[in-house]
Amino acid sequence: MYTAHPDRYADMPYRRTGRSGLKLPALSLGLWHNFGPDRPAETQRAILRRAFDLGVTHFDLANNYGPPPGAAESALGEALKADFAPYRDELVISTKAGYLMWPGAYGEWGSRKYLLSSLDQSLSRMGLDHVDIFYSHRFDPDTPLEETMGALHTAVQQGKALYVGVSNYNAEQTREAARILGELGTPLLINQPRYSMLDRRPEDEGLMDALDELQVGSIAYSPLEQGVLTSRYLDGIPEDSRAASDSPFLNTDALTEELVGRLRALADIASARGQSLAQMALSWVLRGGRLTSALVGASSPRQLENSVAATRNLDFSDEELTRIDAIVKA
């Protein structure tokens, strides 16, 4: 039987989520492509146990994570039952709905019918009566935002979610979502955008400024750019890598000679900081405390440990930041 490490809260920094009372660990675990039937169940459980032992109390999912869709939530449900039942109140579990989950007219986007049906299915797969955060996974241009936000509000009113968030919403969409939710009495807790050293749209397009003004939290996904911001591709493309697998999220064409040269220059800065490139990339998105948390995936407990080690050095000198900007923006 699993017993959590007694010092699990000793080292992980926790950050308040916007103006709410909820704190999230600086690093959260995303259960995306490494949680499904093609991965050994014991490896998945070992990753979750090690995460919790290291103070990673937030597990982030979506209805379509797997593969196949739903598999990640089912895997977490098994782990919750086997290992984490005594610790449920120490965990923050989030899920989302918005992308294609089942066929037909009601299996994606932002209608009230889809969102609330999806949440019921997610809770069933995980064996839970509520999640801590329920997200609208993407903005739906064909559904009134009042309907989408109203569905999130209903989830809270029904006791099936404690907080609500949005993901992949730009600054204008986030402001309007926050306004609607505020009028309903269910504050917008958090926005989950894609954000990394190589993808700075949340800064460049005003989303981070909007979140600051609204006092809404933020959690970045893909802070390592699907593994690009690691040492994985500094000396070629390994046969067992994501880029070599014809993944829709990363392919060999993206790894140009110019990009690899920039990665090597960034790796030199990381080495001088006593970090790997991946650790520096995580430290960078967390710099200054503006971001609430960053999501990391893991294929092994060891990989997760390496990511968590990034939280030991979140400070950057002005010179380091200037050099990073010069490399990335050249």
Side-chain angles (χ1 to χ4, degrees):
M1 178 179 291
Y2 167 68
T3 300
H5 197 286
D7 296 329
R8 57 190 175 277
Y9 296 112
D11 298 318
M12 174 63 67
Y14 295 85
R15 296 177 173 184
R16 190 170 298 278
T17 311
R19 65 178 181 274
S20 78
L22 182 68
K23 293 183 178 181
L24 294 180
L27 287 182
S28 299
L29 180 64
L31 279 67
W32 189 25
H33 275 301
N34 293 319
F35 287 81
D38 60 338
R39 305 276 180 165
E42 187 53 40
T43 299
Q44 297 174 45
R45 287 178 58 189
I47 292 168
L48 293 167
R49 291 192 295 259
R50 188 63 182 134
F52 190 55
D53 283 346
L54 292 170
V56 179
T57 54
H58 179 206
F59 299 158
D60 180 76
L61 304 99
N63 57 355
N64 62 337
Y65 286 178
E73 290 179 331
S74 295
L76 179 63
E78 291 299 317
L80 291 174
K81 183 167 55 176
D83 295 326
F84 294 100
Y87 307 106
R88 172 62 183 99
D89 291 335
E90 296 183 48
L91 292 171
V92 174
I93 297 172
S94 59
T95 196
K96 316 176 197 70
Y99 286 94
L100 181 63
M101 185 60 189
W102 60 82
Y106 321 116
E108 63 177 325
W109 292 108
S111 72
R112 179 180 183 85
K113 178 172 177 59
Y114 167 64
L115 290 175
L116 294 177
S117 297
S118 177
L119 178 56
D120 283 343
Q121 292 184 21
S122 292
L123 292 175
S124 178
R125 282 189 289 269
M126 291 186 283
L128 297 174
D129 60 5
H130 74 277
V131 291
D132 297 282
I133 308 170
F134 182 46
Y135 285 89
S136 168
H137 205 168
R138 61 173 168 172
F139 178 79
D140 182 350
D142 297 321
T143 297
L145 195 56
E146 288 82 0
E147 178 176 341
T148 302
M149 295 302 105
L152 298 185
H153 170 67
T154 295
V156 173
Q157 294 297 105
Q158 292 177 340
K160 296 177 181 179
L162 301 185
Y163 302 90
V164 299
V166 296
S167 181
N168 299 303
Y169 278 51
N170 65 27
E172 180 182 357
Q173 294 159 355
T174 300
R175 290 182 190 277
E176 185 64 4
R179 182 192 67 78
I180 295 168
L181 285 168
E183 291 178 355
L184 291 170
T186 297
L188 177 62
L189 176 78
I190 194 166
N191 187 311
Q192 185 177 133
R194 180 167 181 154
Y195 178 50
S196 73
M197 283 196 293
L198 298 180
D199 188 346
R200 304 189 181 193
R201 284 174 292 176
E203 291 180 2
D204 298 339
E205 298 175 1
L207 176 60
M208 297 300 285
D209 290 338
L211 297 177
D212 288 344
E213 293 167 17
L214 295 166
Q215 294 183 281
V216 168
S218 54
I219 180 168
Y221 74 87
S222 292
L224 301 181
E225 283 295 310
Q226 303 294 322
V228 171
L229 284 168
T230 70
S231 59
R232 194 101 165 106
Y233 302 106
L234 298 181
D235 298 304
I237 301 176
E239 291 184 2
D240 62 345
S241 66
R242 179 171 293 171
S245 68
D246 294 324
S247 166
F249 306 104
L250 180 64
N251 56 58
T252 55
D253 293 340
L255 292 163
T256 63
E257 184 176 337
E258 178 187 6
L259 175 58
V260 173
R262 293 184 183 187
L263 296 176
R264 288 172 179 157
L266 291 171
D268 288 341
I269 299 176
S271 179
R273 287 171 50 84
Q275 292 182 310
S276 66
L277 175 56
Q279 288 168 340
M280 185 178 78
L282 294 173
S283 296
W284 185 89
V285 298
L286 292 167
R287 73 198 186 285
R290 195 177 191 188
L291 194 77
T292 309
S293 184
L295 283 163
V296 295
S299 58
S300 68
R302 178 60 179 162
Q303 186 180 48
L304 180 67
E305 291 166 2
N306 288 335
S307 294
V308 170
T311 62
R312 299 173 192 155
N313 184 8
L314 300 179
D315 296 324
F316 287 80
S317 68
D318 290 341
E319 179 185 359
E320 287 173 330
L321 293 174
T322 299
R323 289 176 62 198
I324 290 170
D325 287 348
I327 292 167
V328 171
K329 297 179 178 181

